[in-house]
Amino acid sequence: ARVDTEQLGEQIVRCPSGPRGLLITVGSKSNGVFPAGPTHHWDSLAYEALVDNDNTTVVFVKGLNLRPERVSNASRFECVYGEDFSRLKLVLRSEVLSIAQEIVRCRTPLIVLNSQKKVNSSVKVSVRIKGGGTLPSIARLGFLSDSGRDPLPTRKPHETCICTMARNQARFLKEWVIYHALIGVQRWYIYDNNSDDDTDQVIESLFNAGYNISRHIWPWIKTQEGGFSHCALRAKGSCEWIGFIDVDEFLHLPSGLFLHDVISNLTSTITSFGNISIGEIRVSCYSFGPSGLKRIPKQGVMVGYTCRLVVPERHKSIVKPEALNSTLINIVHHFHLRDDFRFIDVDRRMMVVNHYKYQVWEVFKQKFYRRVATYVADWKDEQNVRSKDRAPGLGTRAIEPVDWSSRFCEVTDTGLKDRVLRNFANPKNSLPWQTTTNKKAGTWFVEEENTNKVQEKE
């Protein structure tokens, strides 16, 4: 079949997504010079690999079918480095240090480390089940900018960062980025999960306007946990704290403080746990409903949606990257920490996440395409119908309920709306994301002087 493709790098080509489990290859047009390459089954694949700052290799895989939130027996596996994994005599083998969910940490062979730093080409990495087969691989070894520089610097460039995975969220990115800049976020990592809207253009415009934001292509389906672990590795040398939230989630600070001040106050408090450091801050999520609306609110989600469920649903996390357990286990909402760190739950009067989960139907129905988390069923799948990840009584088809606009509305909450209009609106009552993305324009931004200059684009 003829498809439109976009070359994203020397070894990456984007094509329209197909059914899960499809065999995929890339071939040339007639009379082309590039022969079709090998086929790989997506359900069984090593797809990314990074060398951590301690020189271990972290491999991201599909197909091992390990249980969530459980550390598996590393002795059953080994990592292999080379090109032709069908001939084990031609590959280097190394010890697996830890394995959990879909992430494998290996001891990188010294010869691989030395050779990779001298040449531009990169060897492939995969995982082998001892006594069994080796996962097919397209994972070529990559290096972080601070690989081999352990320990990490005592002072990092950014106090607060945010990482998200998004698909077709272009029309909401501007509000999300600008608002969080105004409350103190300094760096954004956007993992683009097969967007085919204007996401790339919006991110580029935000970067050009002075926001330290980068887009990382992450095309792998149902790998949000792996993407967040990958992002945590990248942020380790740059961010003191990094939050993992979605584009429809906004950190609300009822105290009126900046984010870094709230975090500093929380983590400097002496607790009954002694001198154990705080490595994770868990923030409760309030889920907002359509609030009577049938069209996308012009001033943005924070001003438009003001009615929510009473009881918080789950939580989201802000973490110190170096506090994470070496397995990098996470279930989207929280990570596993090293033994010398612990988490704290934030009082909702200090900080909460406003999750605009159930927006107008035009927006919400897009979620039926698929969910990005590994262990969460797609909306349309007839499984786990009573899960908390599903909207109560919604069903499994993208058909708008007649009473959708009035659903999920138990209490009126205008706290974030009031702060936004009070602090960020200009005299004509328009908001920064409605007018300009330039941080240096519009001196009427009340908190403008507290935002930071742009850093070099990664």
Side-chain angles (χ1 to χ4, degrees), residues 52 61 80 85 95 141 155 185 297 299 310 337 344:
D52 202 351
V61 303
V80 290
F85 296 135
E95 175 188 6
L141 200 60
R155 189 68 179 178
V185 173
Q299 287 186 291
V310 172
L337 304 178
I344 56 172

Side-chain angles (χ1 to χ4, degrees), residues 213-225:
I213 182 172
S214 62
R215 173 175 173 249
H216 187 86
I217 302 299
W218 192 265
W220 323 114
I221 297 173
K222 296 189 81 64
T223 55
Q224 187 172 26
E225 295 87 348

Side-chain angles (χ1 to χ4, degrees), residues 190-228:
I190 312 297
Y191 276 57
D192 188 347
N193 193 221
N194 295 308
S195 294
D196 53 15
D197 61 356
D198 297 330
T199 291
D200 55 341
Q201 298 175 35
V202 173
I203 291 174
E204 183 178 4
S205 70
L206 286 165
F207 176 81
N208 291 336
Y211 295 89
N212 193 355
I213 182 172
S214 62
R215 173 175 173 249
H216 187 86
I217 302 299
W218 192 265
W220 323 114
I221 297 173
K222 296 189 81 64
T223 55
Q224 187 172 26
E225 295 87 348
F228 282 179

Side-chain angles (χ1 to χ4, degrees), residues 265-433:
N265 291 341
L266 288 169
T267 55
S268 62
T269 302
I270 298 176
T271 70
S272 58
F273 288 86
N275 294 322
I276 298 179
S277 299
I278 304 300
E280 179 181 26
I281 297 169
R282 296 185 175 182
V283 189
S284 298
C285 296
Y286 280 131
S287 294
F288 281 70
S291 306
L293 302 181
K294 295 186 178 180
R295 295 182 179 179
I296 297 174
K298 293 183 179 180
Q299 287 186 291
V301 298
M302 292 181 289
V303 172
Y305 300 110
T306 57
C307 202
R308 61 169 172 82
L309 300 177
V310 172
V311 179
E313 290 186 319
R314 302 187 181 277
H315 65 266
K316 290 299 173 76
S317 293
I318 303 172
V319 304
K320 291 185 75 70
E322 63 271 22
L324 303 186
N325 185 288
S326 62
T327 63
L328 298 176
I329 290 179
N330 72 85
I331 302 294
V332 181
H333 307 286
H334 66 270
F335 286 80
H336 286 202
L337 304 178
R338 288 167 34 190
D339 291 340
D340 50 340
F341 286 89
R342 72 177 202 87
F343 70 86
I344 56 172
D345 293 309
V346 182
D347 189 314
R348 293 194 289 273
R349 293 171 295 182
M350 295 187 65
M351 180 163 52
V352 70
V353 170
N354 276 17
H355 184 186
Y356 299 100
K357 183 176 182 178
Y358 308 113
Q359 299 187 33
V360 296
W361 186 256
E362 175 188 347
V363 174
F364 185 81
K365 70 179 180 181
Q366 294 177 359
K367 291 188 176 184
F368 276 89
Y369 176 78
R370 59 178 166 80
R371 312 292 293 280
V372 295
T374 305
Y375 301 100
V376 175
D378 292 344
W379 292 98
K380 60 185 178 183
D381 290 347
E382 298 279 353
Q383 57 178 303
N384 301 329
V385 293
R386 296 183 180 180
S387 169
K388 292 182 179 179
D389 289 303
R390 291 186 177 276
L394 185 59
T396 58
R397 293 185 296 169
I399 299 175
E400 181 178 4
V402 293
D403 61 342
W404 178 257
S405 64
S406 61
R407 286 196 179 191
F408 315 107
C409 182
E410 296 176 347
V411 60
T412 299
D413 182 347
T414 63
L416 185 51
K417 172 185 176 179
D418 294 341
R419 185 186 181 193
V420 164
L421 293 176
R422 181 174 63 250
N423 290 352
F424 307 138
N426 68 6
K428 295 183 179 180
N429 205 37
S430 65
L431 295 160
W433 40 91

Side-chain angles (χ1 to χ4, degrees), residues 151-171:
L152 294 168
T154 55
R155 189 68 179 178
K156 300 179 185 179
H158 312 300
E159 288 286 339
T160 54
C161 306
I162 286 182
C163 180
T164 195
M165 186 173 292
R167 181 184 182 276
N168 291 346
Q169 296 294 306
R171 59 183 170 185

Side-chain angles (χ1 to χ4, degrees), residues 1 84-85 165 354 435-436 440 457:
D84 185 0
F85 296 135
M165 186 173 292
N354 276 17
T435 54
T436 179
K440 297 180 181 179
K457 186 175 183 180

